[in-house]
């Protein structure tokens, strides 16, 4: 799962968001990805508040092992899974956040000159 591409993560999230939608036809993969991107964009402030203050995410992103993508994803999954009450799969969301960029989500990480 940690090698999931962005379009795969968007597809997984879009499918989860549309799971209870009773449309007459199945949405296309492009529609599912678009739903996921809109959901992600609208939740950036909430994600930022949750993730940027997490000591575990900061340590995984900026610590000595910062090149370990799996450790960072695990930290994101832990924070997201326990705090947000999500309707989307947290691992797919963590992958989406990684593609978005922690330095972009948490400018203070980049300002520290370490991220």
């Amino acid at each position: 799962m940690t090698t999931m591409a962005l379009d795969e993560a968007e597809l997984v999230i879009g499918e989860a968001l549309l799971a209870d939608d009773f449309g007459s036809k199945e949405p296309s993969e492009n529609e599912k990805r678009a739903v996921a991107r809109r959901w992600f964009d609208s939740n950036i402030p909430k994600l930022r508040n949750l993730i940027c203050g997490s000591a575990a995410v900061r340590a995984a992103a900026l610590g000595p092992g910062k090149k370990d993508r799996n450790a960072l994803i695990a930290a994101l999954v832990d924070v997201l899974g326990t705090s947000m009450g999500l309707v989307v799969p947290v691992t797919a969301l963590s992958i989406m956040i990684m593609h978005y960029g922690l330095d972009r989500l948490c400018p203070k990480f980049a300002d520290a000159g370490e991220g």
Side-chain angles (χ1 to χ4, degrees), residues 51 57 66 80 94:
I51 292 168
V57 172
K66 68 180 178 179
L80 295 169
S94 297

Side-chain angles (χ1 to χ4, degrees), residues 34-57:
V35 165
R37 285 190 297 272
R38 283 192 302 271
W39 180 90
F40 183 83
D41 289 345
S42 70
N43 280 283
I44 285 175
K46 189 176 189 180
L47 293 167
R48 182 172 283 133
N49 287 337
L50 181 65
I51 292 168
C52 298
S54 167
V57 172

Side-chain angles (χ1 to χ4, degrees), residues 2-58:
T2 60
T3 59
M4 179 183 285
L6 177 58
D7 62 338
E8 293 173 289
E10 290 172 344
L11 187 59
V12 168
I13 291 170
E15 287 173 351
L17 292 169
L18 295 170
D20 293 333
D21 194 21
F22 296 110
S24 60
K25 78 174 194 184
E26 177 74 16
S28 71
E29 288 187 0
N30 285 339
E31 290 168 327
K32 291 175 185 177
R33 285 193 290 272
V35 165
R37 285 190 297 272
R38 283 192 302 271
W39 180 90
F40 183 83
D41 289 345
S42 70
N43 280 283
I44 285 175
K46 189 176 189 180
L47 293 167
R48 182 172 283 133
N49 287 337
L50 181 65
I51 292 168
C52 298
S54 167
V57 172
R58 186 174 181 84

